Amino acid sequence: MAWGVLSLLLLLMWNHGLCQQEEVCSKFKINTCADCIKSGPSCSWCKQLNFTNQGEQEAVRCDTVAQLQKRGCNSEEIISPANTKTVVKEDRLSAPNTKDPVQMSPQEIRLNLRPGLPTTFPVSFKRAEGYPVDLYYLMDLSYSMKDDLQNVKSLGQKLFEALSKITKYGQIGFGAFVDKTVLPYTNTNKEKLQKPCDKNDQECQAAFGYRHVLNLTSRMDDFNERVMKEHISGNLDSPEGSLDAMMQAAVCGSKIGWRDSSTRLIVLATDAGFHMAGDGKLAGILEPNDEVCHLSGHLSGSHYTKSNEMDYPSVGQLAMQLEKNNIQPIFAVTNNVKTVYTELSKMIPKSEVGVLSENSDNVVGLIENAYNKLSSKVTLTHESLPDNVRVVYNPKCKNPVQEGENKGVCDSVTVNEEISFDVTVTADSCMEETSFNIKPLGIKDTLKVTITTNCECQCNDPKDINHSHCNYNGSINCGICSCLKGYVGQFCSCAIGDKDERTLRAPCQKNNGTECEGRGDCVCGRCECHKTEKELSYYGQYCQCVDDHCEKFNNKQCSGNGVCKCGKCKCNPDFEGSACQCQVSSEGCRTENNTVCYGRGSCTCNICDCKEGYQPPHCEKCLGCSDPCTTKHKQTCIECLGFNSGPFAKNCSAACNTISRQMVDKFTLPGNECKHKDSEGCWITFKLKQLVGLDNYTAEIQKERDCPKPPDVIAIIGGSVAAVAFIGILLLLLIKLLIHMKDLKEFRKFESEKKKSKWAEADNPLFQNATTTVANPTFTGE
């Protein structure tokens, strides 16, 4: 009853626009009833015939219910789809001590939602008394846990006694882990692999990663027997393969023995940290964890066969699989790693951390406390939520906890206490049928929510193909004419004839743009313009004009000093400005010589609107303009005006009529002097001053030009001859010097060779003196 009243109130609030954020319904690009319904949850459609006038846009049919009624639409002619809810399955919450209890209701619901319009429904939950519990004890068997193992071997009876206080349907299983049996985690020496413990320790089992020891069982003797056979093992590094073991225990449901209807607990007992995704690279293990069961062997004593082939799982992977399989972990750890597992617990929903004593003798009390905390905290959340669907939870209980909109949390819930959650679902857009699940964390109960969206209009239109409202040339579709082939127009009044529709509509499109600027309908090649919301008509060939939307001043259109014509203000006499905001006056634009803006701008709103480049306040100077001194035209004009020479000499008065000149000995005008080299090579000195207007100057030109003296021809010729003669003599002397140097070199070479020759010191036998003593008989004295 309460739910029905609440739904009715919400519907009335949405439909009548009482929610302030939905007060206005946008009409942008609304052409059909479906467009209107999709545009917003407050939008409704009037299907009433003759609701629109000739030329009025059909988008006015889309508005809030209140506005449509105000415009004259009958209530029965208004289309405003509402949300609907159908409960498909709703089993009652179970009585105490039921073996397979129902703790959440309903179990299945169908929602038909209008986009943007939220719907709320209640979900009830009752924590069942004696709900079955499956507890899987997962123990670290590295060498540092030797004393703890001895205590665990005697814990069987205490664990079962503690479990019996909670439920009559309790089961306990056992598993053990150490680490991957590869370097650098474990000594891979063959002897060390077989016995990784201390040499004096005889009871030591071979190194292993994870082993499932005992299926979940209600027989205490089986638990004691299997655990008594376990021995300690060992590895090298401090962190262990805890996440590997938990992942396999979570995903190997059939081999572990998890029941479908039970509270599933994993108790992780360890005194060390854990390896996680990425650490496998140290051993060359690069294959990511696939979150699949890889236990092989007989049911009790199965080994994780992919331990040395796959990397450790990430915390995210483990958290997802624990939540998916409704498993709640209890981290029973020693004080030295409490901080590490506390941080891990924050990332895994429905988990608890307890501190073990040095020999684990307090583990039973620790498990009891952790279970009570977990079971008394009810967290309602969802999974597989579509992208365009939003869900908000509002817990209705004694101790609600705020953990964000995506969860509803009630704490300190006692056994058999019934609580509820108001679940609000909103579909943001139209979509095909989809579903998602709502469930309490760690509990098997699930609510399946199936969603469809209501994006179409059920208008119950007349069946007439040729309706009189459409000039017998079309049918009615939610109040709008749907024309037969060959007819167009708001009321199908225009026959296309031998023209195609595209050709007929072309004259209604400006520069091939939007037809009639989106402000009218193209009827037989002409625009029939719509009206604005203020009942003003668009006009013009393309409906481009409207006497509205002009510039405002003091919150008045055209300042109240003019009228709006086609989007621009037409001012009354004595007013000006884009919004007619100024009285006509030029006092602020007057210059020293009583001109307005020096003739280089217009006076608007008593302020000079200067031509490009000229600077306010009076447009006197142009910072962006080129210097007239350096302008070729001005330089040529100065030459012809001052000395009647240059290119403009024959038509100086006509070409240079914008410059008045005065020949002076000394300048009286302010500013820098300008210089120009004329066509005769003389330098002309002058000054220019800009007068009123854009191209109006006065010039002062010095009477005397600075002309260079003519050259001395005789001196040039004499100098040239002397230079040629001098250069000739120098060349002759140089040649003579080169010849002399060459001869001297040859002579020296000759002298050198002469000294080296040996025959030069010998006597020529042809010229030797006679050495005979024989007397010439002719001259011998008788």
Side-chain angles (χ1 to χ4, degrees):
M1 183 67 181
W3 161 243
V5 173
L6 178 62
S7 300
L8 181 61
L9 286 173
L10 284 173
L11 181 60
L12 289 172
M13 289 176 68
W14 285 111
N15 285 343
H16 290 280
L18 296 179
C19 297
Q20 294 298 320
Q21 67 271 24
E22 300 292 350
E23 186 72 33
V24 179
C25 179
S26 172
K27 300 178 181 62
F28 181 67
K29 291 184 178 180
I30 302 296
N31 297 312
T32 65
C33 179
D35 292 339
C36 179
I37 299 305
K38 295 174 185 177
S39 64
S42 67
C43 295
S44 300
W45 180 266
C46 178
K47 67 173 184 175
Q48 183 173 300
L49 300 182
N50 298 317
F51 181 72
T52 56
N53 300 319
Q54 178 72 31
E56 190 174 22
Q57 56 186 336
E58 298 292 354
V60 300
R61 293 179 178 273
C62 184
D63 213 325
T64 61
V65 171
Q67 290 299 319
L68 290 175
Q69 291 177 338
K70 185 177 180 181
R71 286 177 58 91
C73 187
N74 296 326
S75 300
E76 61 271 15
E77 299 289 340
I78 296 176
I79 306 298
S80 184
N83 295 333
T84 60
K85 177 195 71 170
T86 303
V87 178
V88 179
K89 184 178 181 182
E90 189 174 17
D91 294 340
R92 292 183 179 182
L93 300 176
S94 299
N97 293 313
T98 304
K99 185 173 183 180
D100 191 8
V102 174
Q103 297 186 100
M104 185 177 73
S105 184
Q107 291 76 40
E108 186 174 354
I109 190 171
R110 294 184 66 88
L111 303 176
N112 185 252
L113 303 179
R114 179 175 174 177
L117 185 62
T119 188
T120 302
F121 57 88
V123 174
S124 301
F125 180 88
K126 183 168 70 172
R127 181 182 167 191
E129 182 180 356
Y131 193 72
V133 176
D134 287 341
L135 187 151
Y136 190 71
Y137 199 95
L138 187 56
M139 185 171 185
D140 176 6
L141 288 188
S142 59
Y143 195 74
S144 58
M145 294 287 287
K146 182 178 179 180
D147 293 341
D148 302 77
L149 177 60
Q150 295 304 318
N151 282 318
V152 170
K153 288 181 178 181
S154 60
L155 280 181
Q157 183 175 350
K158 294 181 180 179
L159 282 172
F160 276 93
E161 287 176 355
L163 205 57
S164 65
K165 296 177 184 178
I166 300 170
T167 177
K168 295 187 296 182
Y169 312 106
Q171 292 189 153
I172 299 179
F174 189 83
F177 67 91
V178 183
D179 208 344
K180 297 182 184 296
T181 56
V182 292
L183 284 172
Y185 317 117
T186 304
N187 191 333
T188 56
N189 181 283
K190 185 176 181 180
E191 183 178 334
K192 277 292 185 180
L193 279 175
Q194 293 300 317
K195 189 177 180 181
C197 311
D198 186 79
K199 292 181 179 180
N200 297 325
D201 200 325
Q202 299 300 319
E203 293 184 343
C204 180
Q205 63 176 314
F208 64 96
Y210 162 66
R211 188 173 74 253
H212 168 53
V213 177
L214 175 66
N215 290 359
L216 289 161
T217 178
S218 59
R219 293 172 56 84
M220 182 176 64
D221 292 341
D222 291 346
F223 180 84
N224 291 334
E225 180 184 350
R226 290 297 301 159
V227 175
M228 286 298 293
K229 294 178 180 179
E230 288 301 307
H231 301 293
I232 210 69
S233 186
N235 63 325
L236 291 176
D237 63 341
S238 177
E240 315 296 4
S242 315
L243 302 194
D244 255 350
M246 291 182 71
M247 175 62 78
Q248 290 301 301
V251 298
C252 297
S254 59
K255 295 191 176 184
I256 301 297
W258 298 115
R259 288 175 291 182
D260 291 336
S261 301
S262 66
T263 297
R264 301 175 178 183
L265 303 176
I266 289 181
V267 178
L268 180 75
T270 183
D271 64 349
F274 52 86
H275 285 295
M276 63 181 117
D279 288 356
K281 292 179 180 179
L282 296 173
I285 301 173
L286 304 179
E287 185 176 351
N289 194 285
D290 61 2
E291 304 175 43
V292 175
C293 179
H294 294 290
L295 288 182
S296 178
H298 55 84
L299 290 179
S300 295
S302 303
H303 285 265
Y304 175 30
T305 58
K306 297 285 185 178
S307 176
N308 296 342
E309 300 174 24
M310 285 189 177
D311 196 7
Y312 302 95
S314 67
V315 174
Q317 286 178 307
L318 179 61
M320 182 178 68
Q321 288 299 334
L322 289 173
E323 183 176 345
K324 180 180 178 181
N325 291 283
N326 298 318
I327 297 174
Q328 305 173 60
I330 298 173
F331 300 111
V333 298
T334 52
N335 196 54
N336 62 309
V337 291
K338 177 186 175 184
T339 303
V340 174
Y341 283 91
T342 300
E343 293 301 314
L344 177 62
S345 178
K346 293 177 182 178
M347 293 182 278
I348 298 179
K350 293 286 283 185
S351 62
E352 285 293 329
V353 179
V355 179
L356 281 173
S357 60
E358 292 184 1
N359 58 4
S360 298
D361 58 2
N362 67 332
V363 68
V364 175
L366 185 153
I367 293 172
E368 284 185 295
N369 292 335
Y371 171 78
N372 289 331
K373 288 183 180 179
L374 289 172
S375 58
S376 64
K377 185 177 182 181
V378 180
T379 302
L380 199 65
T381 187
H382 50 258
E383 58 184 23
S384 306
L385 188 70
D387 292 337
N388 53 349
V389 175
R390 291 176 284 124
V391 181
V392 178
Y393 300 92
N394 183 20
K396 301 293 184 180
C397 54
K398 296 177 183 177
N399 298 295
V401 180
Q402 296 298 325
E403 290 190 5
E405 292 185 345
N406 291 329
K407 292 180 180 179
V409 183
C410 286
D411 205 356
S412 303
V413 178
T414 59
V415 174
N416 291 325
E417 178 186 354
E418 185 173 336
I419 60 173
S420 66
F421 299 86
D422 283 344
V423 182
T424 301
V425 181
T426 308
D428 292 326
S429 61
C430 297
M431 59 185 178
E432 296 180 357
E433 181 175 306
T434 185
S435 62
F436 66 96
N437 293 326
I438 294 176
K439 57 179 293 186
L441 289 180
I443 298 174
K444 76 170 184 66
D445 295 70
T446 300
L447 166 59
K448 181 180 179 181
V449 181
T450 302
I451 296 178
T452 56
T453 48
N454 192 351
C455 296
E456 300 298 329
C457 295
Q458 303 297 327
C459 294
N460 298 319
D461 296 313
K463 303 300 182 183
D464 312 32
I465 297 177
N466 301 313
H467 198 278
S468 59
H469 181 71
C470 304
N471 292 299
Y472 301 100
N473 297 320
S475 58
I476 301 296
N477 183 5
C478 289
I480 301 176
C481 285
S482 178
C483 300
L484 297 175
K485 186 176 181 181
Y487 292 90
V488 294
Q490 185 177 8
F491 301 107
C492 306
S493 56
C494 178
I496 295 175
D498 57 353
K499 296 181 180 180
D500 62 87
E501 186 173 350
R502 183 176 180 182
T503 303
L504 193 65
R505 293 182 180 276
C508 299
Q509 299 174 355
K510 183 180 180 181
N511 300 325
N512 293 324
T514 305
E515 190 175 279
C516 300
E517 298 292 314
R519 297 170 171 177
D521 298 314
C522 187
V523 180
C524 291
R526 297 184 64 183
C527 287
E528 290 187 356
C529 300
H530 297 156
K531 290 184 178 181
T532 68
E533 294 180 357
K534 297 180 180 179
E535 295 299 320
L536 296 174
S537 295
Y538 294 104
Y539 62 93
Q541 182 181 354
Y542 305 104
C543 305
Q544 72 274 20
C545 291
V546 64
D547 294 339
D548 198 1
H549 305 134
C550 282
E551 186 176 343
K552 291 184 178 181
F553 186 79
N554 287 336
N555 206 30
K556 293 181 180 180
Q557 191 164 254
C558 301
S559 302
N561 301 319
V563 293
C564 184
K565 290 293 182 183
C566 199
K568 292 186 178 180
C569 288
K570 185 177 180 181
C571 302
N572 297 334
D574 299 329
F575 286 93
E576 61 182 352
S578 59
C580 304
Q581 71 272 29
C582 309
Q583 285 190 322
V584 176
S585 175
S586 61
E587 288 302 317
C589 303
R590 291 284 173 183
T591 64
E592 295 178 354
N593 55 5
N594 202 32
T595 64
V596 176
C597 306
Y598 283 105
R600 297 189 278 273
S602 59
C603 189
T604 304
C605 288
N606 217 20
I607 297 174
C608 285
D609 183 13
C610 301
K611 301 288 185 181
E612 185 176 0
Y614 289 93
Q615 302 298 305
H618 294 112
C619 313
E620 182 177 5
K621 295 181 181 180
C622 182
L623 299 180
C625 300
S626 58
D627 188 354
C629 285
T630 61
T631 305
K632 185 66 176 176
H633 182 269
K634 298 290 189 296
Q635 293 175 342
T636 308
C637 283
I638 291 296
E639 182 179 353
C640 81
L641 290 171
F643 303 98
N644 199 29
S645 61
F648 293 161
K650 293 182 180 180
N651 62 337
C652 190
S653 59
C656 303
N657 60 354
T658 61
I659 303 176
S660 61
R661 66 109 172 111
Q662 184 178 358
M663 305 301 293
V664 297
D665 293 320
K666 290 185 178 180
F667 294 118
T668 59
L669 293 177
N672 298 326
E673 295 181 2
C674 306
K675 286 185 177 294
H676 167 59
K677 192 173 185 180
D678 63 13
S679 58
E680 297 177 0
C682 296
W683 286 98
I684 302 173
T685 306
F686 63 97
K687 281 190 176 183
L688 279 173
K689 180 181 179 182
Q690 190 174 14
L691 302 176
V692 176
L694 289 173
D695 192 17
N696 189 17
Y697 292 86
T698 182
E700 288 185 348
I701 308 172
Q702 280 191 349
K703 296 177 181 178
E704 298 295 330
R705 294 183 293 178
D706 185 9
C707 298
K709 294 180 179 180
D712 189 344
V713 178
I714 297 175
I716 291 173
I717 295 174
S720 300
V721 171
V724 170
F726 179 71
I727 292 171
I729 293 171
L730 283 177
L731 287 173
L732 290 173
L733 290 174
L734 181 60
I735 293 169
K736 182 63 177 176
L737 179 62
L738 290 173
I739 293 173
H740 175 72
M741 293 297 293
K742 184 176 182 183
D743 290 345
L744 183 61
K745 183 177 179 181
E746 290 294 328
F747 177 75
R748 288 177 178 172
K749 184 177 180 182
F750 168 76
E751 287 291 329
S752 175
E753 289 179 353
K754 180 180 177 182
K755 291 178 180 179
K756 292 177 182 179
S757 60
K758 296 181 180 181
W759 55 266
E761 298 178 358
D763 294 329
N764 192 330
L766 296 178
F767 298 98
Q768 285 184 349
N769 295 326
T771 56
T772 181
T773 58
V774 178
N776 192 334
T778 306
F779 298 99
T780 304
E782 292 289 324

